[in-house]
Amino acid sequence: GTFQCLDLNTLTPKWIFNTGDDTDCTTTIEETEGGAVLYTANEIDKRASVTKQGADCVIRKLDALTGALLWEYKVPCIYHYYLNGGALATPLVGQNDISDLIIFNVCLTSSESDGKLIALDKATGKLVWERELTAYSWSSPVAILGDDGKTYAVFCDSAGNMHLFDPRTGLDLDVISLGTNVESSPSVYNDMIVVGSYAQKIFGIKIS
């Protein structure tokens, strides 16, 4: 549960923030007019191992220089004895036409197999939209800037589906099956999406 900033010259802590639980999702950093900020979220791990009950996944925005909490948003998750709920994927930090949004995957929000895709307003931490996922996702959502100037996004889920969705609304534009669980995050270059899966294959998907 320890989230800390180190001075790389001295390897001494500059600040420490207690997140309340294990953090597996990669922290993202963003330069803003007001300074550098961090986005992070915890999972349901250490707390559940003691209480055997669910808890909140807490999504947070912190001041990168001071560690001060700027806002937080709580998502209730259930307890599962070996599969952790909460945030385990890197969030999508919006740019261009979705520069006001940050999008998180959150696992096990009401059952052992489901989850939510959640978009928050970067400035306030208020919910913009929330989408129920029938299959939880550890796959990080990735933005794609189209030739039309519009941002699209893609993520994969534990049922083996790849979702091309509208990050402004959360609604799917297309879905294809890759056969089985995909925990890895897609990589996008020009019009090609590349991702590996539990099918022991690496897939290349053309965007059109």
Side-chain angles (χ1 to χ4, degrees):
T2 301
F3 187 79
Q4 59 184 308
C5 173
L6 298 178
D7 183 323
L8 290 181
N9 295 307
T10 63
L11 296 183
T12 55
K14 298 294 289 184
W15 53 258
I16 298 176
F17 187 95
N18 182 11
T19 70
D21 210 333
D22 186 14
T23 299
D24 279 7
C25 78
T26 303
T27 301
T28 50
I29 187 167
E30 182 180 33
E31 289 281 356
T32 71
E33 292 183 359
V37 297
L38 304 171
Y39 300 98
T40 186
N42 60 14
E43 59 189 86
I44 318 307
D45 187 356
K46 305 301 183 184
R47 291 168 292 172
S49 66
V50 174
T51 64
K52 309 302 181 186
Q53 295 178 344
D56 289 333
C57 166
V58 187
I59 300 171
R60 295 182 172 98
K61 179 180 179 180
L62 303 174
D63 184 299
L65 295 183
T66 67
L69 178 65
L70 301 177
W71 55 250
E72 65 180 24
Y73 183 85
K74 296 181 179 179
V75 185
C77 298
I78 69 165
Y79 163 70
H80 188 278
Y81 72 98
Y82 73 87
L83 188 67
N84 292 337
L88 289 98
T90 305
L92 168 56
V93 181
Q95 299 180 30
N96 302 308
D97 56 328
I98 59 164
S99 61
D100 57 320
L101 299 181
I102 184 158
I103 302 174
F104 275 85
N105 279 341
V106 181
C107 304
L108 280 58
T109 49
S110 59
S111 77
E112 297 179 358
S113 60
D114 70 1
K116 288 182 179 179
L117 198 62
I118 293 174
L120 302 177
D121 183 280
K122 285 182 187 176
T124 65
K126 300 294 185 183
L127 181 69
V128 177
W129 54 258
E130 179 180 274
R131 171 184 167 180
E132 300 286 342
L133 301 177
T134 56
Y136 69 83
S137 173
W138 290 3
S139 173
S140 305
V142 176
I144 304 168
L145 186 61
D147 291 337
D148 57 2
K150 177 179 169 59
T151 300
Y152 302 85
V154 63
F155 76 98
C156 304
D157 64 28
S158 56
N161 295 313
M162 175 178 282
H163 302 261
L164 178 68
F165 71 99
D166 183 344
R168 180 53 63 187
T169 64
L171 298 177
D172 277 341
L173 302 172
D174 198 8
V175 181
I176 61 172
S177 175
L178 302 182
T180 188
N181 185 7
V182 180
E183 291 182 357
S184 60
S185 303
S187 181
V188 181
Y189 182 75
N190 291 333
D191 61 352
M192 182 67 68
I193 304 170
V194 179
V195 71
S197 86
Y198 270 57
Q200 299 181 18
K201 296 178 181 179
I202 297 174
F203 293 92
I205 295 94
K206 193 90 178 260
I207 307 168
S208 62

